[in-house]
Short mmCIF file of all heavy atoms in Angstrom, two decimals:
data_model
loop_
_atom_site.label_atom_id
_atom_site.label_comp_id
_atom_site.label_asym_id
_atom_site.label_seq_id
_atom_site.Cartn_x
_atom_site.Cartn_y
_atom_site.Cartn_z
N VAL Q 1417 -105.42 -10.26 -100.41
CA VAL Q 1417 -106.50 -11.23 -100.52
C VAL Q 1417 -107.68 -10.55 -101.20
O VAL Q 1417 -107.85 -9.34 -101.12
CB VAL Q 1417 -106.93 -11.78 -99.14
CG1 VAL Q 1417 -105.83 -12.62 -98.53
CG2 VAL Q 1417 -107.33 -10.65 -98.21
N PHE Q 1418 -108.47 -11.35 -101.89
CA PHE Q 1418 -109.68 -10.82 -102.51
C PHE Q 1418 -110.76 -10.66 -101.45
O PHE Q 1418 -110.91 -11.50 -100.56
CB PHE Q 1418 -110.17 -11.76 -103.61
CG PHE Q 1418 -109.36 -11.69 -104.87
CD1 PHE Q 1418 -108.39 -12.65 -105.13
CD2 PHE Q 1418 -109.55 -10.67 -105.78
CE1 PHE Q 1418 -107.63 -12.60 -106.28
CE2 PHE Q 1418 -108.80 -10.60 -106.93
CZ PHE Q 1418 -107.83 -11.56 -107.18
N ILE Q 1419 -111.52 -9.58 -101.56
CA ILE Q 1419 -112.64 -9.34 -100.66
C ILE Q 1419 -113.89 -9.04 -101.48
O ILE Q 1419 -113.80 -8.59 -102.63
CB ILE Q 1419 -112.35 -8.17 -99.69
CG1 ILE Q 1419 -111.96 -6.90 -100.46
CG2 ILE Q 1419 -111.25 -8.56 -98.71
CD1 ILE Q 1419 -111.72 -5.70 -99.57
N ASP Q 1420 -115.03 -9.30 -100.87
CA ASP Q 1420 -116.28 -9.02 -101.57
C ASP Q 1420 -116.71 -7.58 -101.33
O ASP Q 1420 -115.97 -6.78 -100.75
CB ASP Q 1420 -117.37 -10.02 -101.14
CG ASP Q 1420 -117.66 -9.96 -99.65
OD1 ASP Q 1420 -117.32 -8.95 -98.99
OD2 ASP Q 1420 -118.25 -10.93 -99.13
N ALA Q 1421 -117.91 -7.25 -101.78
CA ALA Q 1421 -118.39 -5.87 -101.68
C ALA Q 1421 -118.55 -5.41 -100.24
O ALA Q 1421 -118.51 -4.21 -99.96
CB ALA Q 1421 -119.73 -5.75 -102.41
N ASP Q 1422 -118.70 -6.36 -99.29
CA ASP Q 1422 -118.85 -6.01 -97.89
C ASP Q 1422 -117.52 -6.00 -97.14
O ASP Q 1422 -117.49 -5.81 -95.93
CB ASP Q 1422 -119.80 -7.01 -97.21
CG ASP Q 1422 -121.20 -6.94 -97.80
OD1 ASP Q 1422 -121.65 -5.82 -98.13
OD2 ASP Q 1422 -121.85 -8.00 -97.93
N GLY Q 1423 -116.42 -6.24 -97.86
CA GLY Q 1423 -115.11 -6.25 -97.23
C GLY Q 1423 -114.75 -7.57 -96.59
O GLY Q 1423 -113.74 -7.66 -95.89
N LYS Q 1424 -115.54 -8.61 -96.83
CA LYS Q 1424 -115.25 -9.92 -96.26
C LYS Q 1424 -114.27 -10.68 -97.15
O LYS Q 1424 -114.40 -10.65 -98.37
CB LYS Q 1424 -116.54 -10.73 -96.08
CG LYS Q 1424 -117.52 -10.11 -95.10
CD LYS Q 1424 -118.77 -10.96 -94.97
CE LYS Q 1424 -119.76 -10.33 -93.99
NZ LYS Q 1424 -121.00 -11.14 -93.89
N VAL Q 1425 -113.33 -11.34 -96.53
CA VAL Q 1425 -112.31 -12.08 -97.29
C VAL Q 1425 -112.96 -13.29 -97.95
O VAL Q 1425 -113.68 -14.07 -97.32
CB VAL Q 1425 -111.17 -12.54 -96.37
CG1 VAL Q 1425 -110.14 -13.36 -97.15
CG2 VAL Q 1425 -110.50 -11.35 -95.71
N MET Q 1426 -112.71 -13.42 -99.26
CA MET Q 1426 -113.23 -14.56 -100.00
C MET Q 1426 -112.42 -15.79 -99.67
O MET Q 1426 -111.23 -15.71 -99.36
CB MET Q 1426 -113.19 -14.27 -101.50
CG MET Q 1426 -114.01 -13.06 -101.90
SD MET Q 1426 -113.88 -12.64 -103.66
CE MET Q 1426 -114.64 -14.07 -104.42
N ASP Q 1427 -113.05 -16.95 -99.74
CA ASP Q 1427 -112.41 -18.20 -99.36
C ASP Q 1427 -111.27 -18.53 -100.31
O ASP Q 1427 -111.47 -18.69 -101.50
CB ASP Q 1427 -113.44 -19.34 -99.37
CG ASP Q 1427 -112.82 -20.66 -98.93
OD1 ASP Q 1427 -111.81 -20.62 -98.22
OD2 ASP Q 1427 -113.36 -21.72 -99.30
N ASN Q 1428 -110.06 -18.61 -99.77
CA ASN Q 1428 -108.91 -19.02 -100.57
C ASN Q 1428 -108.15 -20.14 -99.89
O ASN Q 1428 -106.95 -20.28 -100.05
CB ASN Q 1428 -107.97 -17.84 -100.83
CG ASN Q 1428 -107.43 -17.24 -99.54
OD1 ASN Q 1428 -107.89 -17.59 -98.46
ND2 ASN Q 1428 -106.46 -16.35 -99.65
N SER Q 1429 -108.89 -20.94 -99.10
CA SER Q 1429 -108.26 -22.05 -98.39
C SER Q 1429 -107.87 -23.14 -99.38
O SER Q 1429 -108.47 -23.29 -100.44
CB SER Q 1429 -109.21 -22.59 -97.33
OG SER Q 1429 -110.42 -23.04 -97.93
N ASP Q 1430 -106.89 -23.92 -99.00
CA ASP Q 1430 -106.40 -24.98 -99.86
C ASP Q 1430 -107.20 -26.25 -99.60
O ASP Q 1430 -106.77 -27.15 -98.89
CB ASP Q 1430 -104.90 -25.21 -99.59
CG ASP Q 1430 -104.27 -26.14 -100.62
OD1 ASP Q 1430 -104.98 -26.58 -101.53
OD2 ASP Q 1430 -103.07 -26.42 -100.49
N ASN Q 1431 -108.40 -26.33 -100.18
CA ASN Q 1431 -109.26 -27.49 -99.98
C ASN Q 1431 -109.47 -28.25 -101.28
O ASN Q 1431 -110.43 -29.00 -101.42
CB ASN Q 1431 -110.62 -27.06 -99.40
CG ASN Q 1431 -111.30 -26.02 -100.28
OD1 ASN Q 1431 -110.80 -25.67 -101.35
ND2 ASN Q 1431 -112.44 -25.51 -99.83
N ARG Q 1432 -108.56 -28.05 -102.24
CA ARG Q 1432 -108.71 -28.70 -103.52
C ARG Q 1432 -108.32 -30.17 -103.42
O ARG Q 1432 -107.64 -30.59 -102.49
CB ARG Q 1432 -107.82 -28.02 -104.57
CG ARG Q 1432 -106.33 -28.23 -104.34
CD ARG Q 1432 -105.50 -27.28 -105.17
NE ARG Q 1432 -104.08 -27.59 -105.12
CZ ARG Q 1432 -103.29 -27.34 -104.10
NH1 ARG Q 1432 -103.80 -26.77 -103.02
NH2 ARG Q 1432 -102.01 -27.65 -104.13
N LYS Q 1433 -108.72 -30.97 -104.42
CA LYS Q 1433 -108.30 -32.35 -104.54
C LYS Q 1433 -107.26 -32.45 -105.64
O LYS Q 1433 -107.31 -31.72 -106.62
CB LYS Q 1433 -109.50 -33.25 -104.85
CG LYS Q 1433 -110.54 -33.31 -103.73
CD LYS Q 1433 -111.67 -34.24 -104.09
CE LYS Q 1433 -112.69 -34.33 -102.96
NZ LYS Q 1433 -113.82 -35.22 -103.31
N PHE Q 1434 -106.35 -33.37 -105.48
CA PHE Q 1434 -105.32 -33.54 -106.49
C PHE Q 1434 -105.92 -34.19 -107.73
O PHE Q 1434 -106.74 -35.11 -107.64
CB PHE Q 1434 -104.17 -34.38 -105.95
CG PHE Q 1434 -103.35 -33.67 -104.92
CD1 PHE Q 1434 -103.63 -33.81 -103.56
CD2 PHE Q 1434 -102.31 -32.84 -105.29
CE1 PHE Q 1434 -102.89 -33.15 -102.61
CE2 PHE Q 1434 -101.55 -32.16 -104.34
CZ PHE Q 1434 -101.84 -32.32 -103.00
N ALA Q 1435 -105.50 -33.71 -108.90
CA ALA Q 1435 -106.03 -34.23 -110.15
C ALA Q 1435 -105.59 -35.66 -110.39
O ALA Q 1435 -106.33 -36.45 -110.99
CB ALA Q 1435 -105.56 -33.35 -111.31
N THR Q 1436 -104.42 -36.04 -109.93
CA THR Q 1436 -103.94 -37.39 -110.13
C THR Q 1436 -104.58 -38.35 -109.14
O THR Q 1436 -105.00 -37.97 -108.05
CB THR Q 1436 -102.41 -37.45 -109.97
OG1 THR Q 1436 -101.99 -38.81 -110.10
CG2 THR Q 1436 -101.99 -36.93 -108.61
N THR Q 1437 -104.67 -39.59 -109.53
CA THR Q 1437 -105.24 -40.60 -108.63
C THR Q 1437 -104.23 -41.07 -107.60
O THR Q 1437 -104.60 -41.69 -106.62
CB THR Q 1437 -105.70 -41.82 -109.44
OG1 THR Q 1437 -104.59 -42.34 -110.20
CG2 THR Q 1437 -106.83 -41.43 -110.40
N ASN Q 1438 -102.95 -40.75 -107.82
CA ASN Q 1438 -101.91 -41.14 -106.87
C ASN Q 1438 -101.70 -40.03 -105.85
O ASN Q 1438 -101.53 -38.88 -106.22
CB ASN Q 1438 -100.60 -41.43 -107.60
CG ASN Q 1438 -100.73 -42.58 -108.57
OD1 ASN Q 1438 -101.41 -43.55 -108.28
ND2 ASN Q 1438 -100.10 -42.45 -109.72
N ALA Q 1439 -101.71 -40.37 -104.60
CA ALA Q 1439 -101.48 -39.37 -103.56
C ALA Q 1439 -100.04 -38.88 -103.63
O ALA Q 1439 -99.16 -39.58 -104.10
CB ALA Q 1439 -101.75 -39.99 -102.19
N PRO Q 1440 -99.78 -37.63 -103.20
CA PRO Q 1440 -98.41 -37.12 -103.21
C PRO Q 1440 -97.48 -38.01 -102.39
O PRO Q 1440 -97.85 -38.49 -101.33
CB PRO Q 1440 -98.55 -35.73 -102.57
CG PRO Q 1440 -99.98 -35.39 -102.72
CD PRO Q 1440 -100.74 -36.68 -102.67
N ILE Q 1441 -96.28 -38.23 -102.90
CA ILE Q 1441 -95.30 -39.08 -102.23
C ILE Q 1441 -94.31 -38.20 -101.49
O ILE Q 1441 -93.73 -37.29 -102.07
CB ILE Q 1441 -94.56 -39.98 -103.24
CG1 ILE Q 1441 -95.57 -40.87 -103.97
CG2 ILE Q 1441 -93.50 -40.83 -102.55
CD1 ILE Q 1441 -94.94 -41.72 -105.05
N THR Q 1442 -94.12 -38.47 -100.23
CA THR Q 1442 -93.16 -37.71 -99.45
C THR Q 1442 -91.75 -38.22 -99.76
O THR Q 1442 -91.57 -39.24 -100.44
CB THR Q 1442 -93.44 -37.84 -97.95
OG1 THR Q 1442 -93.31 -39.22 -97.59
CG2 THR Q 1442 -94.83 -37.36 -97.62
N LYS Q 1443 -90.77 -37.52 -99.26
CA LYS Q 1443 -89.39 -37.89 -99.54
C LYS Q 1443 -89.07 -39.29 -99.06
O LYS Q 1443 -88.29 -40.02 -99.67
CB LYS Q 1443 -88.43 -36.88 -98.89
CG LYS Q 1443 -86.98 -37.09 -99.28
CD LYS Q 1443 -86.12 -36.00 -98.71
CE LYS Q 1443 -84.65 -36.19 -99.13
NZ LYS Q 1443 -83.79 -35.12 -98.58
N ALA Q 1444 -89.69 -39.70 -97.95
CA ALA Q 1444 -89.43 -41.02 -97.41
C ALA Q 1444 -90.24 -42.09 -98.10
O ALA Q 1444 -90.04 -43.27 -97.86
CB ALA Q 1444 -89.71 -41.03 -95.91
N GLY Q 1445 -91.18 -41.68 -98.96
CA GLY Q 1445 -92.00 -42.65 -99.66
C GLY Q 1445 -93.10 -43.18 -98.78
O GLY Q 1445 -93.24 -42.80 -97.61
N PRO Q 1446 -93.94 -44.08 -99.31
CA PRO Q 1446 -95.03 -44.65 -98.51
C PRO Q 1446 -94.51 -45.49 -97.36
O PRO Q 1446 -93.42 -46.06 -97.42
CB PRO Q 1446 -95.79 -45.49 -99.56
CG PRO Q 1446 -94.77 -45.82 -100.59
CD PRO Q 1446 -93.86 -44.63 -100.67
N LYS Q 1447 -95.29 -45.56 -96.32
CA LYS Q 1447 -94.90 -46.30 -95.13
C LYS Q 1447 -94.88 -47.79 -95.44
O LYS Q 1447 -95.86 -48.34 -95.93
CB LYS Q 1447 -95.87 -46.00 -93.98
CG LYS Q 1447 -95.45 -46.62 -92.67
CD LYS Q 1447 -96.40 -46.20 -91.57
CE LYS Q 1447 -95.96 -46.80 -90.24
NZ LYS Q 1447 -96.88 -46.41 -89.15
N PRO Q 1448 -93.75 -48.47 -95.20
CA PRO Q 1448 -93.66 -49.89 -95.52
C PRO Q 1448 -94.48 -50.74 -94.57
O PRO Q 1448 -94.77 -50.34 -93.44
CB PRO Q 1448 -92.16 -50.18 -95.38
CG PRO Q 1448 -91.70 -49.19 -94.35
CD PRO Q 1448 -92.52 -47.95 -94.60
N THR Q 1449 -94.85 -51.92 -95.06
CA THR Q 1449 -95.62 -52.85 -94.23
C THR Q 1449 -94.77 -54.03 -93.78
O THR Q 1449 -94.63 -54.31 -92.60
CB THR Q 1449 -96.85 -53.33 -95.01
OG1 THR Q 1449 -96.42 -53.88 -96.26
CG2 THR Q 1449 -97.81 -52.17 -95.27
N ASN Q 1450 -94.18 -54.74 -94.75
CA ASN Q 1450 -93.43 -55.94 -94.41
C ASN Q 1450 -91.96 -55.82 -94.75
O ASN Q 1450 -91.27 -56.81 -94.94
CB ASN Q 1450 -94.02 -57.15 -95.16
CG ASN Q 1450 -95.46 -57.40 -94.77
OD1 ASN Q 1450 -95.80 -57.26 -93.60
ND2 ASN Q 1450 -96.29 -57.79 -95.73
N LEU Q 1451 -91.45 -54.59 -94.90
CA LEU Q 1451 -90.06 -54.40 -95.25
C LEU Q 1451 -89.23 -54.08 -94.03
O LEU Q 1451 -89.72 -53.47 -93.08
CB LEU Q 1451 -89.93 -53.25 -96.27
CG LEU Q 1451 -90.61 -53.48 -97.62
CD1 LEU Q 1451 -90.45 -52.24 -98.47
CD2 LEU Q 1451 -90.02 -54.69 -98.34
N GLY Q 1452 -87.99 -54.49 -94.06
CA GLY Q 1452 -87.07 -54.16 -92.99
C GLY Q 1452 -86.67 -52.70 -93.09
O GLY Q 1452 -86.92 -52.04 -94.10
N THR Q 1453 -85.97 -52.22 -92.07
CA THR Q 1453 -85.57 -50.81 -92.06
C THR Q 1453 -84.68 -50.47 -93.22
O THR Q 1453 -84.79 -49.40 -93.82
CB THR Q 1453 -84.84 -50.50 -90.74
OG1 THR Q 1453 -85.67 -50.85 -89.64
CG2 THR Q 1453 -84.49 -49.01 -90.67
N SER Q 1454 -83.79 -51.39 -93.60
CA SER Q 1454 -82.86 -51.12 -94.70
C SER Q 1454 -83.51 -51.19 -96.06
O SER Q 1454 -82.88 -50.87 -97.07
CB SER Q 1454 -81.68 -52.10 -94.63
OG SER Q 1454 -82.16 -53.44 -94.77
N GLN Q 1455 -84.76 -51.64 -96.13
CA GLN Q 1455 -85.44 -51.82 -97.42
C GLN Q 1455 -86.52 -50.79 -97.66
O GLN Q 1455 -87.31 -50.94 -98.57
CB GLN Q 1455 -86.06 -53.23 -97.48
CG GLN Q 1455 -85.03 -54.35 -97.44
CD GLN Q 1455 -85.70 -55.70 -97.40
OE1 GLN Q 1455 -86.46 -55.98 -96.48
NE2 GLN Q 1455 -85.46 -56.52 -98.40
#
């Protein structure tokens, strides 16, 4: 990890925003609202 002159760890947390306007899709896809289980 990168550290500063005082030996403190620099922030490398994953707090970025996705560049695309569409949120990441999971394998199961978005949660359905009016669809049956088979759909």
Side-chain angles (χ1 to χ4, degrees):
V1417 292
F1418 285 100
I1419 55 178
D1420 60 19
D1422 297 323
K1424 297 180 180 178
V1425 178
M1426 300 176 65
D1427 182 24
N1428 60 351
S1429 59
D1430 190 1
N1431 56 4
R1432 69 194 188 286
K1433 295 182 179 179
F1434 290 93
T1436 177
T1437 57
N1438 298 322
I1441 300 176
T1442 62
K1443 187 175 181 180
K1447 186 176 181 180
T1449 54
N1450 299 321
L1451 297 177
T1453 305
S1454 61
Q1455 297 176 300

